[in-house]
Amino acid sequence: ISIFPNPSTGEVMISSQMPNLGSMDLKVYNAIGQSVLSRKIDVPSAKIDLSGSPDGIYLFEIKTLQGNVTKKVILNR
């Protein structure tokens, strides 16, 4: 699972090269652990808009049937 661009100015793309992942559960947390977004996304790609969020570090927690992935994204405008 890839997340780009990083750092981002607000829009983040999530993509996967693995077929048959189905939908994924996404949760985004800010640097102090508050949940700022929670939704189901479909692969192979999805666009997440954080342009209304303040600059900082965000953790993207992605849960699939095959396992969990956590990625760090820096939001900087």
Side-chain angles (χ1 to χ4, degrees), residues 4-68:
F4 58 92
N6 193 9
S8 173
T9 58
E11 288 188 351
V12 179
M13 293 296 296
I14 300 173
S15 68
S16 173
Q17 300 298 321
M18 296 178 62
N20 304 323
L21 274 181
S23 65
M24 298 184 269
D25 291 321
L26 169 68
K27 290 188 179 180
V28 180
Y29 299 93
N30 63 16
I32 59 173
Q34 295 171 321
S35 178
V36 295
L37 179 76
S38 180
R39 69 153 83 157
K40 285 198 178 292
I41 58 173
D42 292 319
V43 290
S45 66
K47 185 189 321 187
I48 306 301
D49 186 6
L50 292 178
S51 59
S53 299
D55 289 357
I57 297 171
Y58 291 84
L59 294 178
F60 281 59
E61 180 182 84
I62 301 166
K63 294 184 180 183
T64 71
L65 294 176
Q66 286 77 17
N68 301 339

